[in-house]
Amino acid sequence: QKEVEQNSGPLSVPEGAIASLNCTYSDRGSQSFFWYRQYSGKSPELIMFIYSNGDKEDGRFTAQLNKASQYVSLLIRDSQPSDSATYLCAAHQGGKLIFGQGTELSVKP
Amino acid sequence: EAQVTQNPRYLITVTGKKLTVTCSQNMNHEYMSWYRQDPGLGLRQIYYSMNVEVTDKGDVPEGYKVSRKEKRNFPLILESPSPNQTSLYFCASSLSLAGDTQYFGPGTRLTVL
């Protein structure tokens, strides 16, 4: 079983809709969680991180963490075509960062 | 400008020919890491370093070596490359790992024939 799992997608949403990206992890010792965005042919870039249960908001992005269910999600409100990318979830375990396989998001105008 | 640089950006080589991919950061970051990215497998950590002279294995260290003699540099060494090491490689750095932005280099696309 992969330690960090994401829906591979692709996930397609219309412009202006809410995109919901999900991630589960298997190691309860995971300390913090990260969401990265990666455009095709580019390096990953950090969107936000979360380490406490609950919601964390940053502009149009909201990360949600539920440690009891071992579940992390990223909501993107008012999705724009420029949000079309692959979204990577990662869990911090000791000194390691474990990534999921990524979810491809396509926002249609 | 704060950045992580990698060289070379593209490399085609043959099986068994030793190579080094350099990584350098100018942000005085303590934590540095190497990843490989393969289709369907996502990013997998090869090695990481918490500070100078402190390195540890990630999830896929076989066939790779690293060193951290200076804070800014973290080279990745393939002593005897094989075709299954054909991949896109990223170096990254951050002040620490917990809750800090990890900056990624531009990537090195390696092909081993």
Side-chain angles (χ1 to χ4, degrees):
Chain A
Q1 180 188 1
K2 194 165 170 48
E3 295 182 51
V4 177
E5 295 261 13
Q6 294 181 252
N7 296 331
S8 57
L11 174 65
S12 183
V13 300
E15 185 175 355
I18 296 175
S20 177
L21 302 156
N22 304 315
C23 174
T24 58
Y25 61 96
S26 59
D27 186 345
R28 287 192 175 273
S30 300
Q31 296 150 292
S32 50
F33 304 87
F34 301 80
W35 282 101
Y36 286 83
R37 177 176 60 199
Q38 187 176 23
Y39 293 112
S40 180
K42 300 294 186 183
S43 311
E45 52 182 348
L46 183 70
I47 299 173
M48 58 195 308
F49 65 88
I50 186 168
Y51 51 83
S52 299
N53 270 331
D55 295 358
K56 180 180 180 182
E57 189 174 316
D58 185 359
R60 296 186 296 113
F61 299 95
T62 299
Q64 299 174 317
L65 174 59
N66 183 325
K67 289 188 177 181
S69 301
Q70 296 176 249
Y71 176 90
V72 190
S73 66
L74 180 71
L75 301 178
I76 307 174
R77 289 182 299 281
D78 188 24
S79 296
Q80 301 297 308
S82 59
D83 294 325
S84 297
T86 296
Y87 289 79
L88 305 170
C89 172
H92 172 208
Q93 299 170 7
K96 299 181 184 180
L97 198 59
I98 309 296
F99 282 84
Q101 70 270 41
T103 298
E104 184 183 347
L105 172 66
S106 177
V107 181
K108 304 293 187 186
Chain B
E1 180 191 354
Q3 61 181 352
V4 178
T5 57
Q6 292 178 231
N7 281 293
R9 294 288 314 280
Y10 303 91
L11 179 60
I12 300 174
T13 189
V14 295
T15 298
K17 186 176 181 182
K18 180 179 178 179
L19 67 92
T20 299
V21 184
T22 64
C23 173
S24 183
Q25 49 93 3
N26 62 0
M27 296 167 278
N28 202 36
H29 284 167
E30 293 188 347
Y31 186 93
M32 296 187 74
S33 184
W34 275 103
Y35 301 90
R36 60 178 289 174
Q37 188 171 38
D38 303 289
L41 296 177
L43 275 164
R44 293 179 292 167
Q45 194 170 35
I46 303 171
Y47 270 96
Y48 62 95
S49 170
M50 298 281 206
N51 213 325
V52 175
E53 302 291 1
V54 180
T55 63
D56 210 342
K57 297 177 181 178
D59 282 339
V60 288
E62 294 79 19
Y64 305 94
K65 286 176 59 177
V66 293
S67 67
R68 188 92 180 272
K69 298 189 187 323
E70 307 166 279
K71 201 169 190 177
R72 64 183 292 127
N73 296 322
F74 191 44
L76 179 70
I77 303 157
L78 285 72
E79 296 267 2
S80 182
S82 63
N84 64 12
Q85 293 178 298
T86 293
S87 188
L88 178 59
Y89 291 86
F90 288 103
C91 179
S93 76
S94 61
L95 204 55
S96 66
L97 184 54
D100 283 313
T101 299
Q102 190 163 191
Y103 295 86
F104 281 79
T108 295
R109 187 164 293 281
L110 172 65
T111 300
V112 183
L113 301 175

